[in-house]
Every structure is written in C-alpha cells, then in structure tokens.
C-alpha cells in the first residue's frame, strides 16, 4: 500500500513519477523501439524509471532521451496490388521528433502507456544514432579543429 500524504479529508497518494522528482535514474541506457497505447512507434535512448529498493524495486515508467516517431511507408506498393515482389520491396522510413515543442530532452513516460519494447533493426538503429544522437557532433569537432589551427598560425 502506498503511504498517504496531505491533511485533506481524502489523503493524496504518492505521485507516479516519484523517481523522476528525486532524480534517481534507472539501470542502463539503450536504443529501443517502443509501441505506445496510442499506436505510435517511438525510437529513443530508453532508461527504466524505478521505484523502491531491493525486493520492492519495480519499473514504473521509462525516461526517453531524444524520442522520435518512426513512420514507415512502402512507396512502391499501390492499392490493390499484392504480388510477392511488391511485398519484398524496400520501405521508406522517416524519423520525426516526438513532442517537438518540449524544452526537455528527456521525457518521462508511465509504464502503463508502453505496450511493448523491442530492439530496432540494425539499419534503424544506425539511422537514429547518426541522424539524432550524433547530429551536429561532427560539425562541432570540425569547427574546433579549424579554430585550433587558426590559433597556431602567426
């Protein structure tokens, strides 16, 4: 049973995101593909949000770092055509920021909103890592190299 708080006639239960409020983070961070109740496919660096200690430890949600919606479409297949070759045709995958107007890079999601979590295929993992996680890192290192070189000249 959750401890009750407050001095109202109906006490308040402990908040769902208690770990988020105390900044205790989960075990490890990995790139995962998540299916939400809303039907959205997300890819993100996912980290468990845990509550309790020892035997009382349980996952109450997930911290999603730089989450993106994964949109998949097959541009080669036209409605009404179901040949085997068209079923094997390549897919077009696009990544869009999830909650793009949020100032937060890490977004908490309650566990009951996650239907399942799986490993993304290698190509999707590579696409997410290059286009989202490492976006701008190469440009920043190149610009610092150039400024270092210009500082060394007479």
């Amino acid at each position: 049973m959750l401890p009750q708080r407050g001095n109202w006639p109906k006490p308040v239960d402990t908040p769902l995101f208690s770990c988020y409020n105390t900044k205790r983070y989960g075990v490890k961070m990995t790139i995962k593909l998540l299916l939400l109740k809303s039907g959205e496919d997300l890819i993100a660096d996912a980290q468990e949000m845990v509550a309790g200690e020892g035997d009382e430890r349980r996952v109450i949600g997930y911290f999603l770092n730089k989450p993106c919606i994964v949109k998949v479409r097959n541009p080669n297949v036209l409605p009404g055509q179901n040949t085997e070759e068209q079923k094997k045709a390549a897919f077009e995958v696009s990544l869009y920021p999830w909650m793009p107007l949020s100032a937060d890079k890490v977004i908490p999601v309650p566990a009951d909103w996650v239907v399942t979590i799986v490993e993304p295929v290698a190509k999707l993992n590579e696409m997410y890592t290059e286009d989202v996680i490492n976006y701008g890192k190469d440009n920043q290192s190149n610009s610092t190299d150039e400024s270092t070189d210009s500082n060394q000249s007479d």
Side-chain angles (χ1 to χ4, degrees):
M1 176 137 182
L2 295 173
Q4 295 180 341
R5 303 180 312 148
N7 55 5
W8 301 291
K10 294 182 181 179
V12 179
D13 288 334
T14 303
L16 175 64
F17 292 107
S18 62
C19 288
Y20 180 67
N21 294 335
T22 60
K23 302 288 184 191
R24 288 185 294 162
Y25 291 93
V27 179
K28 62 181 183 176
M29 191 174 211
T30 57
I31 296 173
K32 296 290 185 182
L33 186 62
L34 299 92
L35 175 63
L36 301 182
K37 271 188 196 180
S38 60
E40 295 170 303
D41 290 321
L42 298 181
I43 187 167
D45 280 332
Q47 197 173 17
E48 292 179 338
M49 182 189 315
V50 295
E53 301 291 328
D55 293 341
E56 298 292 317
R57 187 174 182 266
R58 60 188 164 90
V59 176
I60 60 171
Y62 301 92
F63 293 109
L64 304 182
N65 184 27
K66 298 183 180 178
C68 290
I69 296 174
V70 180
K71 294 285 184 180
V72 180
R73 55 177 232 142
N74 190 343
N76 298 328
V77 177
L78 300 174
Q81 295 178 342
N82 290 329
T83 64
E84 283 298 315
E85 288 180 16
Q86 288 174 338
K87 287 182 182 178
K88 294 180 183 178
F91 289 98
E92 196 174 284
V93 177
S94 299
L95 299 178
Y96 300 98
W98 188 60
M99 298 185 68
L101 299 178
S102 172
D104 299 330
K105 296 281 187 220
V106 178
I107 301 173
V109 176
D112 65 338
W113 262 87
V114 178
V115 175
T116 190
I117 301 174
V118 296
E119 290 290 327
V121 294
K123 288 277 189 184
L124 180 59
N125 193 335
E126 180 182 329
M127 180 181 177
Y128 176 75
T129 302
E130 289 176 6
D131 296 346
V132 178
I133 301 296
N134 294 334
Y135 179 75
K137 288 185 180 178
D138 292 338
N139 295 342
Q140 291 174 357
S141 64
N142 289 343
S143 64
T144 56
D145 291 344
E146 290 170 6
S147 64
T148 306
D149 293 341
S150 63
N151 290 342
Q152 292 175 355
S153 63
D154 294 331

